[in-house]
Amino acid sequence: MNPAQQPGRKPMTLHRLREMQAQGEKITMLTAYDAMFARLVDEAGVDCILVGDSLGMIVQGHASTVPVSMEEMAYHTRCVARGNRTAWVIGDLPFGSYQESREQALRSSVALMQAGAHMVKLEGGGWTAETVHFLTERGIPVCAHLGLTPQSVHALGGYRIQGRDEAGAATLRRHARELADAGAAMMVLELMPSAVAREVQADNPGVMTIGIGAGAGTAGQVLVLHDMLHVTRGKLPRFVRNFMAEGGSIEEAVRRYVHAVKDGSFPDEAVHGY
């Protein structure tokens, strides 16, 4: 039976996610920003829901994620938590909510956890390792985020593939190792060559890598819900697959996504990889 169709699904835990990785079962993740879609993707069998600061672009109409506030992230996390029943909920720490100090990061993380998140996510490597260590020592599960980090899009020169040259790839691998040593349990790898993402996972077997435009060699995959439903207007990145193309309901499209990630047919390296 497809995992997404199993009745009476138990609430997801970090321990269960690690078991899935150890057993070779791919982890599925989608974004959600409200109670209705949280309930839908949960019932369709998605393992993890990311309350992403991508809501700044998807819900609020901004050109980037930078304008999203801490208060807005807490609000949307509360909405998702009310709709969700079993998925593991990850809340994004928005731009400016953790860069000032470790203590600021702790206050922001507490706000998201109290709003209903099970884990917080922050972007970048290098200096962030100390923050990750500070949070995990205090019982807050952390998901790191490397590669294209949208909060730093202006510093990166736009939405560009990261780690294409030898120096860039080495930096990504070093930052991943530092974040893993600091206690990050999960790591989103965005818009990087598939070979680099595979190396990051191989270097850090105890970390669950979640790819988005990073090939099939990660422990799981994530997409923006509106992208994979082909609701987002304009040109979509090549790593996005339109799961509504086969027709049917939104819930069926999400089930197709879950099944495709689980059976390894998505992403297709020839179509979606770099």
Side-chain angles (χ1 to χ4, degrees):
M1 181 183 289
N2 187 323
Q5 298 173 330
Q6 292 179 3
R9 193 167 74 140
K10 295 181 180 179
M12 188 62 67
T13 65
L14 194 57
H15 177 70
R16 173 61 187 137
L17 289 168
R18 285 171 169 150
E19 281 186 336
M20 290 167 60
Q21 180 188 20
Q23 295 165 3
E25 179 180 349
K26 294 291 186 178
I27 297 166
T28 58
M29 185 186 299
L30 284 174
T31 61
Y33 314 113
D34 59 42
M36 187 71 72
F37 275 111
R39 183 68 176 268
L40 185 149
V41 301
D42 176 41
E43 292 183 347
V46 170
D47 301 313
C48 305
I49 295 175
L50 172 62
V51 189
D53 60 0
S54 50
L55 66 88
M57 303 169 76
I58 301 298
V59 177
Q60 299 175 337
H62 294 300
S64 75
T65 65
V66 172
V68 179
S69 71
M70 187 63 227
E71 292 75 16
E72 290 165 341
M73 286 306 309
Y75 167 78
H76 285 279
T77 300
R78 285 193 296 271
C79 292
V80 167
R82 292 188 194 108
N84 178 56
R85 295 294 181 272
T86 63
W88 180 256
V89 177
I90 303 161
D92 256 342
L93 292 171
F95 180 72
S97 70
Y98 59 96
Q99 286 90 347
E100 182 181 325
S101 66
R102 301 176 305 174
E103 290 75 19
Q104 183 202 29
L106 177 61
R107 289 192 298 272
S108 299
S109 298
V110 168
L112 290 186
M113 299 286 282
Q114 290 179 336
H118 303 124
M119 171 181 264
V120 300
K121 182 170 76 66
L122 53 76
E123 294 185 4
W127 67 271
T128 57
E130 182 181 351
T131 301
V132 170
H133 181 67
F134 187 79
L135 295 177
T136 56
E137 269 197 328
R138 286 154 179 79
I140 297 176
V142 175
C143 175
H145 185 154
L146 290 176
L148 175 67
T149 47
Q151 292 175 12
S152 305
V153 64
H154 300 306
L156 295 174
Y159 295 95
R160 305 169 63 180
I161 301 169
Q162 303 298 304
R164 269 189 154 163
D165 59 17
E166 187 174 338
T171 298
L172 286 174
R173 292 180 68 181
R174 175 170 54 82
H175 285 169
R177 180 71 265 167
E178 291 168 352
L179 289 162
D181 289 343
M186 189 177 282
M187 199 175 296
V188 169
L189 304 180
E190 181 169 0
L191 208 61
M192 67 177 65
S194 302
V196 176
R198 283 194 296 270
E199 289 171 347
V200 169
Q201 181 63 87
D203 291 344
N204 307 283
V207 174
M208 294 168 278
T209 57
I210 308 295
I212 176 167
T218 52
Q221 297 292 325
V222 61
L223 285 176
V224 171
L225 178 65
H226 295 64
D227 288 353
M228 56 82 71
L229 294 177
H230 214 248
V231 174
T232 307
R233 301 295 87 185
K235 184 179 179 181
L236 293 174
R238 64 178 286 180
F239 58 77
V240 175
R241 174 173 155 186
N242 178 5
F243 284 89
M244 278 294 290
E246 298 173 35
S249 66
I250 291 175
E251 186 169 354
E252 283 304 312
V254 175
R255 290 186 186 279
R256 283 194 289 271
Y257 166 76
V258 171
H259 185 72
V261 173
K262 298 285 186 183
D263 71 12
S265 59
F266 176 79
D268 179 343
E269 291 282 7
V271 177
H272 308 110
Y274 295 93

